Amino acid sequence: MVLVHPHIDDGGILRIQFPEDSGMSPLLVPLEPSPEVLADWKRIEDVQIWSHTTDGYICQSVDKNGMDPSTALSKYLGKDVFLMFKGPTTRHVGPPAAFPNFQSAAVFQDGYALLIASEESLVDVQQKVNLSANGVEGWSINGVAGVWEGEIVMERFRPNIVIEGAGKPYAEEEWEEVVCCGKSEAGNKNASSEYGRMILVSRCTRCQLPNIEPTTGVQHKHVPYKVLAKYRRVDPLNPYTPCFGVNAVPKESGIYSVGDTITVAKYAKAGKLPTKPGSK
């Protein structure tokens, strides 16, 4: 599935591109379908996401002569699936331990709207993977030492926002609130711009999906998960799961653009999470 790429075309069209050797034509669906369009789409009211039940519409193609999107994806994936657009029912997300009174909502994400990671953090992961690949004492991992060759790219971790210039690896875990500013707003911490503010609510605990090479779809058994597990099990509430990146929730709607400036408006007081729920 990592080989299927979405693109936003002019005119508010979401183009879904399959690998060239798949023989599949691109799919074209409305990025933001109007109420009139949605009235013609089938609505499903029992979409299950982890412990949440919500609703959604089965997407239809803007190309009346094209293949039905869900049929095309089912054919490519070899299993029955639907391409869905979130329905009107709000999907509330439980508050993180560090913000017990925080209210937020999500669409089809695992838990939070945004994932933020810094280039400095990625460089650190690559350095640690290299230590393991070279069999350095304390870092050697069976299946990695003397075997692994390659680069860890940010696409493995799937962040929405990538920051450069954080100053050190994992600096993003020390931030509580940031402002994403256009060039005209840069440096004004108190500006409430169209780009808006974001609350960084928790570290992102990782599964083994980043072990999949995004350009080939091939999964490595150990990299980078086992390397991360040696030194990035830093979340007090999830002590056995490695972390990379931070989950974030926007406080204001707006457009985030490549090249915008991130300003830290507020630092976390004593780490991202309390030792246990309810502790200070």
Side-chain angles (χ1 to χ4, degrees):
M1 193 169 179
V2 297
L3 302 180
V4 179
H5 293 163
H7 304 269
I8 298 176
D9 290 346
D10 293 339
I13 300 299
L14 175 65
R15 173 167 49 92
I16 301 171
Q17 195 83 34
F18 295 95
E20 291 185 5
D21 59 0
S22 69
M24 304 287 294
S25 299
L27 304 175
L28 303 175
V29 299
L31 184 63
E32 296 182 5
S34 66
E36 292 76 19
V37 170
L38 290 175
D40 292 331
W41 291 8
K42 182 178 179 180
R43 180 183 170 195
I44 297 179
E45 298 184 0
D46 58 349
V47 179
Q48 196 74 24
I49 306 174
W50 303 119
S51 61
H52 298 269
T53 300
T54 188
D55 60 353
Y57 296 95
I58 300 177
C59 296
Q60 301 297 314
S61 175
V62 299
D63 181 3
K64 300 303 181 182
N65 297 320
M67 182 179 288
D68 172 74
S70 296
T71 300
L73 285 166
S74 297
K75 178 181 178 181
Y76 173 76
L77 295 172
K79 60 176 62 179
D80 292 335
V81 299
F82 287 131
L83 179 63
M84 305 290 294
F85 180 84
K86 180 68 179 71
T89 302
T90 301
R91 179 186 162 213
H92 295 286
V93 177
F99 301 90
N101 298 319
F102 192 79
Q103 299 293 324
S104 66
V107 186
F108 289 142
Q109 302 97 331
D110 273 1
Y112 296 99
L114 298 173
L115 176 64
I116 298 176
S118 70
E119 291 283 2
E120 287 83 352
S121 299
L122 181 69
V123 169
D124 185 70
V125 173
Q126 180 70 67
Q127 291 173 345
K128 299 303 191 295
V129 169
N130 290 343
L131 292 176
S132 295
N134 293 327
V136 174
E137 184 177 356
W139 289 96
S140 182
I141 298 173
N142 290 336
V144 180
V147 177
W148 169 262
E149 292 182 356
E151 180 184 3
I152 304 298
V153 295
M154 188 64 86
E155 286 79 2
R156 286 178 178 258
F157 297 100
R158 310 176 312 283
N160 306 91
I161 298 175
V162 178
I163 298 171
E164 182 181 17
K168 64 179 182 179
Y170 317 110
E172 57 270 32
E173 296 182 2
E174 300 175 3
W175 306 338
E176 181 174 314
E177 183 175 331
V178 299
V179 185
C180 189
C181 305
K183 293 180 180 179
S184 61
E185 301 288 349
N188 187 352
K189 294 183 180 181
N190 298 315
S192 179
S193 71
E194 64 173 337
Y195 303 101
R197 295 171 178 266
M198 291 174 280
I199 301 295
L200 282 56
V201 296
S202 65
R203 297 181 179 94
C204 181
T205 53
R206 310 307 305 216
C207 64
Q208 295 194 38
L209 187 58
N211 285 11
I212 298 176
E213 165 54 52
T215 61
T216 64
V218 176
Q219 181 174 3
H220 193 276
K221 289 184 178 181
H222 308 304
V223 177
Y225 184 85
K226 279 198 171 183
V227 178
L228 285 171
K230 287 185 71 67
Y231 79 111
R232 287 296 302 159
R233 292 187 291 182
V234 294
D235 189 305
L237 301 183
N238 298 277
Y240 303 109
T241 307
C243 300
F244 183 89
V246 290
N247 297 307
V249 176
K251 292 183 67 176
E252 302 167 340
S253 61
I255 299 173
Y256 303 98
S257 302
V258 175
D260 285 351
T261 299
I262 290 289
T263 300
V264 180
K266 185 178 182 180
Y267 285 88
K269 291 183 178 178
K272 184 55 58 181
L273 292 175
T275 302
K276 59 182 179 180
S279 66
K280 300 296 185 180

